[in-house]
């Protein structure tokens, strides 16, 4: 390391760069990639050995593809060609293979369909993957497929009372905010990649849904689950709120404002909502003694689960390390970022991570899930590259 790098890079950035770029990305593009099938493994054990599963989910493949396209685009890890080849293989295996529109949920070890249900969350992520593939390689076939996915989402999942159904077949009992959030994320990425207002219009509809349905006016908080008519699923005070999703929506609303060039009342609402969601999550959904985001709380801001998931930590870190977004939180930025590495990414795992820990810091799962990398990279690039 040269002196000039030391002069311009903080100790936190150096630690994150060495871990994320030097260990985590190589781990998951090498040990985490099945070269025989051309697909990503879903799980590794603590010794970085693949854990065989009966089925591979579309969502996990899409998340890994998007991450390695982003890393290649950022110039920090050269696995972009691998990711594009995987994307082509995923399209052959998952898209319309049962003769119906859309993408199946998972495939078996034989590459045949395992679950053929249509899942909105998974469709959001495959659209997200195509968005980053377009940003990275700009292949015309990827642009065409992104448009087709968006049209199939409307065809398959559109609900008569706004938003989308979580899955088809629909169980008719519940609606969730989470797939809508990731669909907004995907629309924004594809819009930025293509400039096609078709995708921005759909993003606008989801922001409107957040304003009118997902954010409860009584608490000002984003709820997780709703009845089919979009009423909160439980009585006021008993609804689940996930601080990690408050941070994620705070980020996405500001991304929407940036890309959509929001003005006047729209800009004011987004600024207010984004700040309010962040403040609620940071004030009531974090354990500041441990520098950790808690798993969930109620819509009265009372902690429900004091366990912690790795993805929620990264959503806070991304906000804290984006200059000018939510004010100056420099002390918290460094503390949360450094303690993340201590608690979730100990050196013994050599680029791996602990996904889920309890209130005492003990591991709640005995493997590393590939799907966490998408969240980690989003935070890490903000910490290291900005």
């Amino acid at each position: 390391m040269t002196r000039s790098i030391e002069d311009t890079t903080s100790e936190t950035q150096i630690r994150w760069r060495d871990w994320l770029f030097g260990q985590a990305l190589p781990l998951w593009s090498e040990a985490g990639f099945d070269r025989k099938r051309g697909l990503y493994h879903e799980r590794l054990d603590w010794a970085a050995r693949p854990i065989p599963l009966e089925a591979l989910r579309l969502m996990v493949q899409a998340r890994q593809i998007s991450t390695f396209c982003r890393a290649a685009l950022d110039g920090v890890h050269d696995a972009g060609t691998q990711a594009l080849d995987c994307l082509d293989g995923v399209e052959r295996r998952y898209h319309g293979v049962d003769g119906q529109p859309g993408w199946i949920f998972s495939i078996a070890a034989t590459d045949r369909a395992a679950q053929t249900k249509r899942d909105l969350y998974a469709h959001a992520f495959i659209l997200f993957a195509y968005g980053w593939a377009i940003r990275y390689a700009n292949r015309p076939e990827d642009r065409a497929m992104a448009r087709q996915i968006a049209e199939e989402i409307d065809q398959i999942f559109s609900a008569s009372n706004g938003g989308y159904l979580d899955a088809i077949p629909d169980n008719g009992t519940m609606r969730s905010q989470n797939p809508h959030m990731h669909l907004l994320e995907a629309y924004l990425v594809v819009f930025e990649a293509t400039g096609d207002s078709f995708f921005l219009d759909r993003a606008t509809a989801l922001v409107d849904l957040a304003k009118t349905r997902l954010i409860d006016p009584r608490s000002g908080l984003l709820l997780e689950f709703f009845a089919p008519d979009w009423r909160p699923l439980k009585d006021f005070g008993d609804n689940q709120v996930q601080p990690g999703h408050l941070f994620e929506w705070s980020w996405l609303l500001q991304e929407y404002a940036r890309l959509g060039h929001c003005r006047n009342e729209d800009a004011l609402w987004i600024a207010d909502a984004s700040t309010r969601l962040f403040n609620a999550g940071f004030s009531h959904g974090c354990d500041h003694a441990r520098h950790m985001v808690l798993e969930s709380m109620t819509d009265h801001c009372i902690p429900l689960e004091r366990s912690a998931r790795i993805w929620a930590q990264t959503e806070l870190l991304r906000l804290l390390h984006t200059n000018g977004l939510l004010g100056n939180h420099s002390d918290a930025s460094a503390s949360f970022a450094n303690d993340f590495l201590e608690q979730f990414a100990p050196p013994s795992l050599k680029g791996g991570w602990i996904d889920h820990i309890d209130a005492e810091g003990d591991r709640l799962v005995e493997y590393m899930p590939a799907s966490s990398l998408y969240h980690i990279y989003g935070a890490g690039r903000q910490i290291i590259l900005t």
Side-chain angles (χ1 to χ4, degrees):
M1 185 184 302
T2 67
R3 183 64 188 170
S4 61
I5 292 176
E6 292 176 349
D7 287 341
T8 59
T9 307
S10 72
E11 180 181 350
T12 300
Q13 287 175 305
I14 292 169
R15 291 185 68 197
W16 266 82
R17 184 195 62 199
D18 292 348
W19 176 72
L20 180 57
F21 297 168
Q23 297 182 62
L25 290 174
L27 173 68
W28 287 94
S29 64
E30 295 168 10
F33 187 71
D34 183 342
R35 295 187 180 279
K36 183 176 180 181
R37 295 179 76 184
L39 298 171
Y40 293 98
H41 295 296
E42 284 211 14
R43 297 175 182 175
L44 300 178
D45 67 16
W46 302 127
R49 296 170 300 204
I51 297 175
L53 298 173
E54 293 183 359
L56 293 180
R57 294 170 291 168
L58 172 65
M59 177 272 289
V60 175
Q61 300 303 311
R63 283 188 172 195
Q64 295 297 80
I65 290 163
S66 66
T67 299
F68 285 109
C69 283
R70 294 184 76 181
L73 191 63
D74 287 335
V76 300
H77 188 71
D78 187 16
T81 299
Q82 177 191 86
L84 290 179
D85 289 344
C86 180
L87 181 61
D88 294 339
V90 165
E91 183 182 332
R92 291 193 300 271
R93 293 175 172 98
Y94 290 82
H95 185 235
V97 293
D98 58 353
Q100 300 299 315
W103 299 68
I104 63 171
F105 184 78
S106 63
I107 60 171
T110 60
D111 282 357
R112 289 184 168 275
Q115 282 189 276
T116 60
K117 73 173 184 178
R118 277 16 182 201
D119 180 71
L120 181 62
Y121 191 91
H123 278 70
F125 272 106
I126 193 62
L127 180 60
F128 183 75
Y130 274 96
W132 282 108
I134 295 166
R135 292 275 298 270
Y136 171 60
N138 199 25
R139 302 185 301 183
E141 61 268 32
D142 293 338
R143 287 174 170 258
M145 180 53 74
R147 181 66 176 250
Q148 183 176 347
I149 294 168
E151 290 173 345
E152 289 180 337
I153 287 171
D154 286 347
Q155 176 186 353
I156 298 167
F157 299 103
S158 288
S160 59
N161 60 345
Y164 298 93
L165 303 176
D166 289 5
I168 298 296
D170 172 41
N171 63 18
T173 63
M174 191 174 70
R175 310 280 286 277
S176 306
Q177 74 77 22
N178 197 19
H180 293 81
M181 178 186 73
H182 287 297
L183 190 55
L184 170 61
E185 178 184 37
Y187 285 146
L188 292 176
V189 167
V190 181
F191 171 68
E192 188 167 23
T194 64
D196 188 344
S197 61
F198 172 90
F199 298 101
L200 184 61
D201 290 344
R202 279 153 178 75
T204 299
L206 289 173
V207 171
D208 289 343
L209 184 75
K211 185 186 302 185
T212 59
R213 300 293 192 182
L214 305 182
I215 297 176
D216 191 331
R218 297 170 298 182
S219 64
L221 297 177
L222 176 90
L223 306 186
E224 289 293 324
F225 304 112
F226 302 84
D229 63 0
W230 283 118
R231 287 180 295 111
L233 194 62
K234 295 185 178 181
D235 294 335
F236 185 41
D238 292 331
N239 290 286
Q240 186 187 92
V241 174
Q242 294 187 13
H245 286 152
L246 301 184
F247 301 139
E248 208 160 355
W249 268 99
S250 180
W251 167 273
L252 287 171
L253 287 173
Q254 294 182 74
E255 280 291 279
Y256 171 75
R258 177 180 69 86
L259 293 170
H261 303 290
C262 293
R263 298 288 186 269
N264 304 323
E265 290 184 6
D266 288 340
L268 290 173
W269 181 86
I270 287 173
D272 177 70
S274 179
T275 301
R276 185 173 62 251
L277 295 177
F278 167 78
N279 286 339
F282 198 56
S283 298
H284 304 289
C286 292
D287 181 337
H288 287 270
R290 295 191 295 160
H291 299 121
M292 189 173 294
V293 181
L294 302 179
E295 192 157 355
S296 68
M297 62 186 189
T298 71
D299 46 348
H300 278 173
C301 293
I302 299 170
L304 274 176
E305 299 167 287
R306 292 188 175 274
S307 51
R309 297 290 303 273
I310 193 171
W311 69 264
Q313 320 308 309
T314 66
E315 294 306 323
L316 174 59
L317 288 173
R318 180 169 61 171
L319 282 174
L320 292 177
H321 287 84
T322 301
N323 294 332
L325 211 58
L326 292 162
N328 183 8
H329 298 279
S330 56
D331 290 343
S333 300
S335 297
F336 275 83
N338 288 321
D339 280 2
F340 173 94
L341 294 177
E342 298 295 331
Q343 297 175 103
F344 289 93
S348 61
L349 295 186
K350 299 178 181 179
W353 50 74
I354 301 166
D355 179 72
H356 199 183
I357 62 177
D358 65 17
E360 285 72 45
D362 295 326
R363 303 175 186 184
L364 290 174
V365 292
E366 294 300 322
Y367 58 85
M368 309 177 219
S371 58
S372 303
L373 185 60
Y374 140 82
H375 287 285
I376 292 167
Y377 190 78
R381 70 185 307 278
Q382 290 301 120
I383 295 170
I384 302 163
L385 301 176
T386 60

